[in-house]
Amino acid sequence: MPTDANAGKPYYRPEDISGIDYATDLNDPGAYPYTRGRRTQPRHDANSWILRELSGEGSPAHSNRQFRDLIARGAVGLDVIGDAPSVGCLDPDHPFARAAVGTQGVSICRLQDFIELYEGIPLDRITLSHSLPSWFTVACLYLLARNHEVAPGALRGSVIQAPLYGEDYCYAVHMPVELRLRLTLDSIEFCTREMPRFHSFVEDTYFVSDGGPDVVDEMALGFVEIRKVVRELMKRGLNIDSFGPRIAILVNCRMGFFEEIAKIRASRRIFARMMREEFGAKDSRSWSANITAHTAGSALTAQQPANNVVRGAVQAVALALAGVQAMEISTFDEAYRTPSREAHLLALRTQQIVGLETDCSKVADPLGGSYYVESLTNKVERRIADRIHEIEALGDPVDLSNRGYFRRLLEQAMITRAAEIQNGSVAKVGVNVCQIPEEEDTMLREVVETKIEPCLDHIERIREFKRTRDQARVRSTLTEIRSRAADPKESLIVPAISALAADATIGEISGAMRMAYGMRYDPLSGTPAPF
Amino acid sequence: MEAEARNGKRVRVLIAILGLDQHETGALAVSAMLRDAGVEVIYLGRFASPESVAAAAVEESADVVGISCHSWEYIHYLDDLLRALERGGERIPLMIGGSVISPSDKARLLEKGVSAVFGAGTSSDDIVATVRKLAGAFGS
């Protein structure tokens, strides 16, 4: 167990939950404070939750084929991840991108890429989730909907927001925290008006905790960020109920089976009370958190990769019992690569077996009332609440970010997690217990070790595109972005939409924004601004 | 116990991640483990290039350079990095580690001139001992 939440007792008894008042602390599923879930009635069918798998690889056209394959096999949502350059707001022709274009996600830097990515995908039926910079995703989807003659208001899906922690941990976009937060607020505000069905505010506690923070810090960091963003949006004059129903939390699910379930139940209760009591939300849809989950990639091992199939199944059962709105299983080849076709199929089938063959989702919150689970839910809730208070007492999260507080916290957590495996205090089958000699570790090897080559022809395509577009128009929209970004009162989404429509790219628009904040256009390799 | 290089000074290791790979757990964990063993670690971190690694290695008088990888980007940078680490007829020893490295990758890397390769599940004792050995041999 990564935390001591389970420590202490050999079993639990009625007195362990004697303080619980059913009506105020639990209540029925679908009722405040939503501890037992959002829905009154579970759906014991292929739609128990949104089945999706992380996807995106190579060029947009190649990823499109991957998407069609997943949909044909039963996925009802897509979760698109950009490659390393795209998530870092860099174009494929950036000097650092050459080795990474399309290898860990889809290469996507312009409107045309979005058009190719979603070619033939029914935008009003499939939910589109994105691990990509939010302002870019929102602006491109808005234009794409128009291109497909779908009203932007009909688009469903989501995009992750990572304003406070992304730079310190896995999603650096080489921008200051003030700009990152502004882009988060701008994109949510824009969607509240123009794309009201789209979840523009996914608090992603998955990425911030995978391989690092435990369940308590995962959720405390998540809530600190949610609370900061909510307060800032309210300062802008937005009514909490205009965006509250579209907040989702994308959580991690490690191997601490009951602890993860307790975490999800506790988080729903914290969220409901926070939204109603503290922020004054009146609409009941603002009180019940949308919880989606990824199973922990860091729980998976490079050794004996077939074991990861089992880990994914155990985690999927935990998530089904906790009751989540969408699920995604990190695939068995995770330690080596983004999902192969074989791994995608197994992950989808795992979800389908749990959803359709077992009775895990036959009733809502089947573990509700368990002495252990309720006691653990209380304990985890208390610890998360204490930790939120502790962090917020240290100062404004933007200042904490600038002072390196989050970076130090995340660094220390990564070191601690790795040490637990090294010193054997946390058992990891195939790694520190139950090992087999390397030469016997052959099952599924050929799949996991197949490498994805960088998509060099896509780099050439983008170079050619940049050579042949209307340069004057690109320069003028980038100049406009820089001047709008220099005025903190301006929203950046509409200018970004104009720039993308004028064939400017994610790297160029980001560079123009950076310059307005006193940074270099290209902080990594010093390429001069093209305008 | 402090790890000593051949010249009697504390062993200095530069740790970096090449390109756009943003997974840092391995790099940070190895840095912490080396520090615990008395090695001086210069943590260059993410977004390094062969040139920035080599420049920092010289500037910091590193005895060993360690590259952590969670993507295949290192393959693309390897030849340039090996070249950049050459100084006056010898090369600063290079070690590469990461769970993405398979046994067949390991053989290829050693053949190219990488001094040590650590795949998934390497023990901290192995890593510390290798660093000491490489640092002791370098500069002799």
Side-chain angles (χ1 to χ4, degrees), chain A residues 65-106:
Chain A
R65 290 192 289 278
Q66 198 185 32
F67 297 171
R68 288 166 186 250
D69 204 30
L70 283 164
I71 292 169
R73 291 160 171 215
V76 295
L78 295 171
D79 189 2
V80 183
I81 186 153
D83 61 3
S86 308
V87 300
C89 291
L90 304 169
D91 291 342
D93 60 344
H94 187 277
F96 272 54
R98 195 168 176 80
V101 172
T103 58
Q104 290 185 309
V106 58

Side-chain angles (χ1 to χ4, degrees), chain A residues 84-85 88 90 95-100 103-104 166-172 174 211 302-303 334-337 407 411 414-415 418 422 438 449-452 524, chain B residues 19-25 28-29 32-33 43 46-49 70-77 99-105 108 120-125 127:
Chain A
L90 304 169
F96 272 54
R98 195 168 176 80
T103 58
Q104 290 185 309
E167 207 69 15
D168 293 326
Y169 198 76
C170 293
Y171 282 123
H174 322 287
Q303 297 90 333
E334 166 86 16
Y336 291 89
R337 52 169 294 168
R407 172 70 197 181
E411 264 184 31
M414 283 187 266
I415 290 168
Q422 271 286 337
E438 206 169 84
E449 289 184 17
T450 305
K451 292 187 172 67
I452 303 164
L524 285 185
Chain B
L20 299 177
D21 183 5
Q22 295 211 35
H23 296 86
E24 253 181 305
T25 305
L28 288 166
M33 143 201 322
Y43 189 73
R46 295 174 291 176
F47 311 119
S49 64
H70 194 82
S71 78
W72 301 311
E73 289 170 74
Y74 74 92
I75 299 169
H76 172 89
Y77 293 109
S99 68
V100 294
I101 299 172
S102 67
S104 55
D105 293 333
R108 240 187 331 268
T122 312
S123 75
S124 52
D125 290 349
I127 295 176

Side-chain angles (χ1 to χ4, degrees), chain A residues 164 181 224-232 396-398:
Chain A
L164 294 177
L181 181 61
V224 164
E225 190 161 75
I226 290 173
R227 293 160 64 81
K228 175 68 182 171
V229 170
V230 166
R231 287 182 179 124
E232 292 296 322
D396 182 81
V398 168

Side-chain angles (χ1 to χ4, degrees), chain A residues 257-275:
Chain A
F257 189 89
F258 289 105
E259 192 178 51
E260 295 292 347
I261 293 169
K263 172 191 84 181
I264 290 171
R265 300 175 84 249
S267 296
R268 284 195 291 246
R269 188 155 67 204
I270 293 172
F271 185 86
R273 287 178 172 159
M274 174 185 82
M275 292 298 277

